Amino acid sequence: QVQLVESGGGLVQAGGSLRLSCAASGRTFSSRAMGWFRQTPGKEREFVAAISWSSGSTYYADSVKGRFTISRDHAKNTVYLQMNSLNPEDTAVYYCAAGSSWFRPTSADFGSWGQGTQVTVSS
């Protein structure tokens, strides 16, 4: 089991930026990949970005390509999501996840989840 704690969410104006952090502990050696998902009321959880622990290779949802950047710091067991050019459609609860696949993953590829952090983008 991997324990994940997200931080960095908050309220930001449209066009602004936020950086989310996800601190991992526990059996981190068992996870090949880390990912970010988001969810709004009435919608299914949506994939945002994923990264390979070993290579740093990344994969993004089309909706965030060119605006969001996922990265990792092995020494800190931490994954980041840098979000730029935010718009109100990015408003959601953002969840960090640890799992087995970084390339075109689904929620089923991730066995450990954080509690989520709220991101609200105002117009």
Side-chain angles (χ1 to χ4, degrees), residues 1-66:
Q1 185 72 24
V2 179
Q3 290 75 50
L4 304 171
V5 180
E6 303 99 331
S7 62
L11 177 65
V12 65
Q13 294 286 100
S17 299
L18 283 174
R19 188 177 77 158
L20 306 183
S21 298
C22 174
S25 61
R27 297 176 58 229
T28 57
F29 60 86
S30 66
S31 299
R32 300 178 185 177
M34 300 290 289
W36 289 95
F37 291 74
R38 65 188 183 185
Q39 188 169 29
T40 58
K43 296 184 64 178
E44 296 182 357
R45 191 164 296 186
E46 175 189 19
F47 169 74
V48 176
I51 188 168
S52 166
W53 270 118
S54 59
S55 69
S57 298
T58 59
Y59 184 78
Y60 297 93
D62 288 343
S63 60
V64 305
K65 285 181 180 177

